[in-house]
Amino acid sequence: KLNVFLQKEGKSVEDVRTIVTPASMSSAVTNEGLIVALGKQYTPPSYEGVGYRKLRFFSGIHPTPVGEDDFESWMDQAVQMMEEWQCSDTMKRQRLAESLRGPASDVIRSLRMSKPSAGAMEYLHALDDIYGTTESGEDLYLCFHTTYQEGEKLSQYLCHLETLLHKVLVKKGILASRLDQVRMEQILKGACSGNLIALKLQLSDSRQNPPSFSKLVRDIREEEDRLAAREA
């Protein structure tokens, strides 16, 4: 394989041996050694910016232009993507900025000028200060804790809770590190009495080791499908 590769590149084994080894050692280096040496010199490219879900556009213009989201819809998606994106905070800031246009983009530009070290969550806080609700984080947190399941499926109730939780987070009413725990506590407390899926969660280790939102909603939907199939 090494010889085929070198032929395509117009090089010989001796050419590579000269590059990766001192002259005094060149005769003793084997093809296997060359492969190892080449591997050490090769740094694979970063795929941090490849294959991620992009945000829809938001400009802050009213009425909302065609092809854009209103602020509440955009913010809800942005908070969710912040949890899902497996990348650095620098990349998260870039992805958020790429989705902004017009006045909303100007807000972040001003933030960058006044605070170059601002993180991705600070971008969301700045936008919320301009376009978000005037309710406080404490008020929204209280609303979250007093929201109960009312006739909808448990998965739908969970999605409703998640929307409220995103608002609490953006208003600095909760630390991001506590999202999974608080979400699990509320769905167990707020689910309808006798809900079989909630009871199953209560007895599992999910209460002590709560999963992320995406995993939790997937597990609940799968359980709902299984129960529906049994009743069919």
Side-chain angles (χ1 to χ4, degrees):
K1 291 182 179 179
L2 176 62
N3 288 330
V4 172
F5 171 76
L6 292 175
Q7 287 175 4
K8 290 181 179 179
E9 297 296 319
K11 301 292 183 181
S12 67
V13 172
E14 290 302 323
D15 293 331
V16 179
R17 182 179 286 116
T18 301
I19 295 172
V20 300
T21 63
S24 60
M25 297 175 60
S26 60
S27 61
V29 176
T30 64
N31 285 357
E32 289 78 4
L34 288 174
I35 294 174
V36 173
L38 286 170
K40 290 180 178 179
Q41 292 190 3
Y42 173 71
T43 301
S46 171
Y47 294 97
E48 190 177 56
V50 178
Y52 66 93
R53 287 177 59 192
K54 293 186 177 182
L55 289 169
R56 287 175 60 84
F57 291 114
F58 170 70
S59 66
I61 296 173
H62 186 76
T64 304
V66 176
E68 295 186 11
D69 273 351
D70 58 57
F71 179 69
E72 187 170 335
S73 299
W74 181 89
M75 179 61 79
D76 189 52
Q77 185 192 24
V79 175
Q80 182 178 341
M81 290 299 97
M82 288 276 284
E83 294 184 57
E84 292 185 10
W85 287 335
Q86 299 299 311
C87 61
S88 64
D89 193 73
T90 298
M91 184 61 70
K92 289 180 180 180
R93 294 199 304 268
Q94 179 179 324
R95 293 176 182 180
L96 290 174
E98 287 174 350
S99 71
L100 301 175
R101 294 174 168 177
S105 181
D106 292 338
V107 171
I108 299 306
R109 189 176 297 110
S110 297
L111 175 62
R112 284 173 172 170
M113 292 177 64
S114 62
K115 188 178 180 181
S117 62
M121 187 53 68
E122 289 178 278
Y123 280 23
L124 298 186
H125 291 324
L127 290 166
D128 184 72
D129 287 342
I130 304 298
Y131 303 106
T133 176
T134 57
E135 292 179 277
S136 68
E138 291 77 10
D139 290 339
L140 291 168
Y141 200 31
L142 177 62
C143 178
F144 170 80
H145 275 299
T146 54
T147 298
Y148 297 89
Q149 184 183 12
E150 296 181 354
E152 73 266 58
K153 291 182 178 180
L154 192 64
S155 59
Q156 294 171 328
Y157 171 55
L158 174 58
C159 290
H160 184 196
L161 287 179
E162 191 67 8
T163 298
L164 294 174
L165 197 54
H166 287 175
K167 293 179 180 179
V168 176
L169 176 64
V170 172
K171 286 293 185 180
K172 305 179 185 179
I174 187 175
L175 296 174
S177 59
R178 297 198 63 234
L179 288 177
D180 293 344
Q181 186 65 49
V182 169
R183 181 190 302 114
M184 178 59 70
E185 290 173 355
Q186 183 58 32
I187 197 169
L188 293 178
K189 183 183 80 170
C192 292
S193 177
N195 185 288
L196 295 178
I197 301 176
L199 290 173
K200 186 174 181 179
L201 288 172
Q202 184 86 31
L203 297 173
S204 70
D205 69 343
S206 295
R207 187 166 190 170
Q208 287 70 39
N209 300 290
S212 65
F213 167 73
S214 57
K215 185 178 188 309
L216 181 58
V217 73
R218 182 174 64 250
D219 290 346
I220 289 176
R221 283 173 175 166
E222 289 176 353
E223 192 64 29
E224 287 173 342
D225 289 343
R226 279 193 287 270
L227 290 175
R230 290 177 190 172
E231 296 172 359

